[in-house]
């Protein structure tokens, strides 16, 4: 099939390259000409494992190209996906980019005698595709639905494992408002054997939010219990977690008697809070939607409240050892919101470093790939931070090391002499006894 994708960020680019890898002809459209130039030179503008290789492979087969001209791209296709950003504006998603793209597609539909299915892939609140997106296309085209098609195909990829998630998904949700769009989406995803669920567009939209809201709830629940353990003292939350993980409802037995250890258990480990471009934004959006409808949204409020204050736990616990961190030197390891990505949106490190700077600490920071994005996100206060490449060498100069992102290379900390240092393991990467000579501190475990 020939397909166009509008918006070539983390979702649009990975989707485009993976759809091409399955044999479709894909044009990824973006308003940013630098992104388009880079992609047509085979150089992805985002960091994602396996992406450069896959991009190069699909380009060499003539299955992928990037473009700024939407009209030229639409000439070739009968299905166009929207993967533009839906950033949060005071807890409500900003549909500016979705509506702009919908209007541009609408203008094309208005001046061409051709049926095109417009499929939203961006995360949008339930009722967006079948009301505001539909209205924007109708207004710009002067034509009424169903003279164009409408679909919603939420994306569940996780940055850092995005290619694998897209190539081997656990499910494909196909939200459709018309039979032609359903048929086209079936053809598009025919190369995939994953479970496919056919629903209407607003159900597809809510599946995405329900999924993320439930995962975020699990994280905040264990974080709240971890904070309780830290307040009580004499308990390491990881011992509690291990006990909970032995419940067969969380961790069933396989037929051979071993434990299945499902991935969901990794969401039941305490840390300094969830971040990234999805969980915080999506939980806020669903809360705002509920409140607009007059619902109390107690659960979502609690999930967000716990998460907002979770990075502060890092400082609360450090302050047991150093009641005044002013003038102390701190090295923050990991700036991306999770390992294997350069995305720093809503990263816990942003909040941790903000607090450290506000309290007068001297901050050095390292990340294998995200320092550039982090500097941009931090703005002027980035000048107050020493960004280092050689984090091992920097350890000699600091009082405190905070592991804020679980990058694999930080595992080598266990082989480094940390005599006289305080090591704060915000992601529970190490066993407390594993680090040589360090005073080990973490979430859910108060020592002092
Ligand atoms: P992003 O910010 O990385 O990319 C968006 C891209 O859209 C940018 O490159 C921007 O230049 C481009 N754009 C904006 N308006 C445009 C227009 N009119 N025409 C062409 N291009 C335009 O965003 P993202 O992280 O890829 O997220 C996209 C959507 O997918 C969001 O709704 C997000 O919530 C959702 N989502 C993201 C993830 C993730 O892990 N990042 C996972 C699942 C779903």
């Amino acid at each position: 099939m020939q397909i166009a994708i509008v918006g070539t960020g983390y979702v649009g680019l990975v989707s485009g390259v993976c759809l091409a890898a399955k044999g479709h002809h894909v044009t990824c459209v973006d308003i940013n000409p630098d992104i388009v130039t880079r992609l047509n030179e085979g150089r992805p503008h985002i960091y994602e494992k396996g992406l450069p290789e896959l991009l190069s492979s699909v380009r060499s087969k003539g299955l992928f190209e990037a473009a700024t001209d939407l009209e030229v791209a639409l000439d070739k296709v009968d299905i166009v996906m929207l993967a533009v950003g839906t950033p949060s504006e005071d807890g409500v998603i900003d549909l500016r980019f979705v509506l702009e793209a919908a209007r541009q597609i609408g203008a094309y539909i208005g001046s061409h005698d051709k049926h095109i299915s417009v499929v939203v892939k961006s995360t949008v609140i339930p009722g967006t595709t079948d009301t505001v997106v539909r209205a924007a296309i109708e207004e710009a085209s002067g034509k009424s639905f169903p003279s164009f098609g409408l679909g919603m195909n939420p994306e569940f990829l996780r940055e850092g494992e995005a290619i694998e998630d897209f190539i081997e998904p656990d499910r494909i949700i196909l939200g459709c408002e018309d039979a032609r769009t359903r048929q086209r989406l079936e053809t598009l995803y025919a190369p995939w054997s994953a479970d496919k669920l056919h629903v209407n567009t607003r159900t597809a939209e809510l599946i995405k939010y329900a999924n993320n809201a439930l995962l975020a709830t699990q994280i905040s629940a264990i974080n709240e219990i971890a904070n309780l353990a830290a307040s009580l003292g004499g308990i390491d939350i990881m011992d509690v977690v291990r006990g909970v993980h032995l419940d067969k409802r969380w961790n069933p037995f396989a037929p051979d008697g071993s434990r299945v250890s499902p991935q969901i258990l990794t969401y039941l480990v305490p840390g300094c809070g969830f971040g990234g471009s999805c969980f915080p934004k999506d939980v806020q959006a669903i809360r705002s939607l509920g409140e607009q409808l007059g619902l109390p949204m107690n659960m979502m409020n609690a999930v967000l409240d716990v998460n907002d204050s979770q990075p502060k736990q890092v400082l609360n616990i450090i302050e047991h050892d150093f009641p005044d961190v002013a003038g102390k030197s701190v090295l923050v390891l990991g700036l991306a919101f999770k390992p294997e990505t350069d995305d720093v949106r809503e990263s816990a490190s942003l909040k941790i470093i903000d607090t450290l700077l506000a309290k007068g600490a001297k901050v050095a920071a390292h990340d294998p790939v995200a320092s550039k994005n982090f500097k941009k996100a931090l703005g002027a206060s980035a000048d107050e931070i020493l960004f280092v490449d050689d984090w091992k060498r920097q350890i000699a100069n600091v009082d405190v090391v905070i592991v804020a992102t679980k990058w694999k290379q930080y595992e080598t900390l266990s082989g480094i002499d940390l005599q006289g240092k305080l090591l704060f393991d915000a992601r529970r990467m190490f066993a407390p006894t594993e680090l040589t000579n360090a005073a080990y501190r973490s979430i859910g475990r108060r020592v002092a």
Side-chain angles (χ1 to χ4, degrees), residues 16-35:
V17 167
C18 292
L19 286 163
K22 293 283 188 180
H24 297 300
H25 285 82
V26 180
T27 306
C28 272
V29 179
D30 205 283
I31 42 171
N32 183 338
D34 294 338
I35 293 178

Side-chain angles (χ1 to χ4, degrees), residues 260-302:
V260 172
S261 292
Q263 232 183 61
I264 192 74
L265 295 183
T266 62
Y267 290 77
L268 205 59
V269 173
C272 49
F274 55 78
S277 68
C278 290
F279 280 12
K281 168 170 85 82
D282 294 354
V283 181
Q284 284 170 21
I286 203 75
R287 170 180 67 179
S288 300
L289 176 67
E291 286 174 351
Q292 275 168 24
L293 293 168
L295 302 169
M297 301 310 282
N298 296 328
M299 290 284 289
M300 296 303 104
N301 272 317

Side-chain angles (χ1 to χ4, degrees), residues 6-12 29-32 35 45 83-86 97 100-101 104 121-123 155-159 208 277-278 281-282 343 345:
V6 182
T8 312
Y10 289 89
V11 166
V29 179
D30 205 283
I31 42 171
N32 183 338
I35 293 178
H45 63 295
V84 294
T86 46
F97 302 112
E100 180 53 29
Q104 288 169 354
K121 209 168 201 359
S122 303
T123 303
E155 184 47 58
F156 299 97
L157 63 77
R158 296 160 303 164
E159 289 174 22
K208 172 69 188 173
S277 68
C278 290
K281 168 170 85 82
D282 294 354
D343 197 344
R345 289 177 280 187

Side-chain angles (χ1 to χ4, degrees), residues 62 72 99 103 114 116 151 156 163-165 212 215 241 243 348 358 366 383 418 443:
V72 175
L99 292 181
R103 279 187 215 107
K114 168 177 176 179
I116 291 187
F156 299 97
I163 302 273
E164 195 185 316
D165 283 348
N212 279 357
L215 292 170
V241 163
H366 171 269
D383 296 341
L418 296 167
I443 299 281

Side-chain angles (χ1 to χ4, degrees), residues 243-367:
V244 174
H245 284 193
L246 292 174
D247 184 323
K248 63 181 179 227
R249 288 164 297 185
W250 287 108
N251 192 357
F253 292 100
D256 67 358
S258 65
R259 291 279 186 168
V260 172
S261 292
Q263 232 183 61
I264 192 74
L265 295 183
T266 62
Y267 290 77
L268 205 59
V269 173
C272 49
F274 55 78
S277 68
C278 290
F279 280 12
K281 168 170 85 82
D282 294 354
V283 181
Q284 284 170 21
I286 203 75
R287 170 180 67 179
S288 300
L289 176 67
E291 286 174 351
Q292 275 168 24
L293 293 168
L295 302 169
M297 301 310 282
N298 296 328
M299 290 284 289
M300 296 303 104
N301 272 317
V303 168
L304 290 165
D305 285 349
V306 171
N307 199 58
D308 282 347
S309 57
Q310 198 59 15
K312 291 187 204 126
Q313 286 297 321
V314 177
L315 261 291
N316 288 349
I317 294 171
I318 289 175
E319 281 173 344
H320 280 280
D321 293 274
F322 297 118
D324 184 7
V325 294
K328 295 284 174 223
S329 293
V330 183
L331 171 62
V332 178
L333 295 179
L335 304 173
F337 85 94
K338 62 185 279 197
E340 298 299 333
T341 180
D342 60 351
D343 197 344
V344 300
R345 289 177 280 187
E346 299 287 330
S347 155
S349 300
L350 283 167
K351 293 182 198 160
I352 293 170
I353 287 181
D354 245 5
T355 318
L356 285 167
L357 291 175
K359 289 189 179 257
K362 289 186 269 176
V363 179
H366 171 269
D367 191 282

Side-chain angles (χ1 to χ4, degrees), residues 15-275:
S15 306
V17 167
C18 292
L19 286 163
K22 293 283 188 180
H24 297 300
H25 285 82
V26 180
T27 306
C28 272
V29 179
D30 205 283
I31 42 171
N32 183 338
D34 294 338
I35 293 178
V36 170
T37 305
R38 283 189 63 132
L39 293 177
N40 285 331
E41 289 168 1
R43 296 183 298 125
H45 63 295
I46 55 168
Y47 177 85
E48 188 59 53
K49 199 172 42 189
L51 185 57
E53 297 79 4
L54 203 55
L55 175 64
S56 151
S57 156
V58 293
R59 283 182 68 244
S60 68
K61 292 178 190 150
L63 292 170
F64 179 94
E65 63 174 334
T68 48
D69 193 328
L70 178 61
E71 236 186 283
V72 175
L74 291 179
D75 276 343
K76 295 183 273 188
V77 305
D78 53 12
I79 184 162
V80 54
M81 285 185 154
L82 299 189
V84 294
T86 46
S88 192
E89 194 66 52
D90 296 328
V92 176
I93 56 163
D94 179 352
L95 286 176
R96 193 164 24 125
F97 302 112
V98 171
L99 292 181
E100 180 53 29
R103 279 187 215 107
Q104 288 169 354
I105 295 166
Y108 178 91
I109 290 170
S111 55
H112 293 77
D113 186 20
K114 168 177 176 179
H115 190 276
I116 291 187
S117 290
V118 183
V119 176
V120 177
K121 209 168 201 359
S122 303
T123 303
V124 293
I125 55 166
T128 299
T129 304
D130 65 358
T131 58
V132 288
V133 171
R134 171 180 168 164
I137 300 170
E138 286 182 337
E139 198 184 322
S141 65
K143 294 181 182 171
S144 304
F145 175 79
S147 38
F148 54 90
L150 274 176
M152 203 284 151
N153 169 222
E155 184 47 58
F156 299 97
L157 63 77
R158 296 160 303 164
E159 289 174 22
E161 281 127 309
I163 302 273
E164 195 185 316
D165 283 348
F166 201 100
I167 295 286
E168 282 174 46
D170 43 12
R171 79 213 110 155
I172 296 171
I173 305 295
L174 301 172
C176 296
E177 294 299 320
D178 59 288
R180 286 172 92 169
T181 301
R182 179 181 166 135
Q183 179 57 50
R184 284 170 179 153
L185 281 173
E186 274 175 2
T187 309
L188 187 71
Y189 284 110
W192 278 265
S193 59
D195 287 332
K196 290 171 192 161
L197 185 65
H198 290 277
V199 289
N200 62 17
T201 54
R202 54 179 58 202
T203 305
E205 289 160 344
L206 186 54
I207 287 171
K208 172 69 188 173
Y209 280 105
N211 208 80
N212 279 357
L214 289 170
L215 292 170
T217 300
Q218 194 169 319
I219 296 171
S220 278
I222 194 64
N223 280 341
E224 187 162 83
I225 293 169
N227 299 345
L228 180 67
S231 279
L232 285 165
I235 300 174
D236 186 333
I237 187 66
M238 285 311 286
D239 293 331
V240 177
V241 163
R242 275 188 280 276
V244 174
H245 284 193
L246 292 174
D247 184 323
K248 63 181 179 227
R249 288 164 297 185
W250 287 108
N251 192 357
F253 292 100
D256 67 358
S258 65
R259 291 279 186 168
V260 172
S261 292
Q263 232 183 61
I264 192 74
L265 295 183
T266 62
Y267 290 77
L268 205 59
V269 173
C272 49
F274 55 78

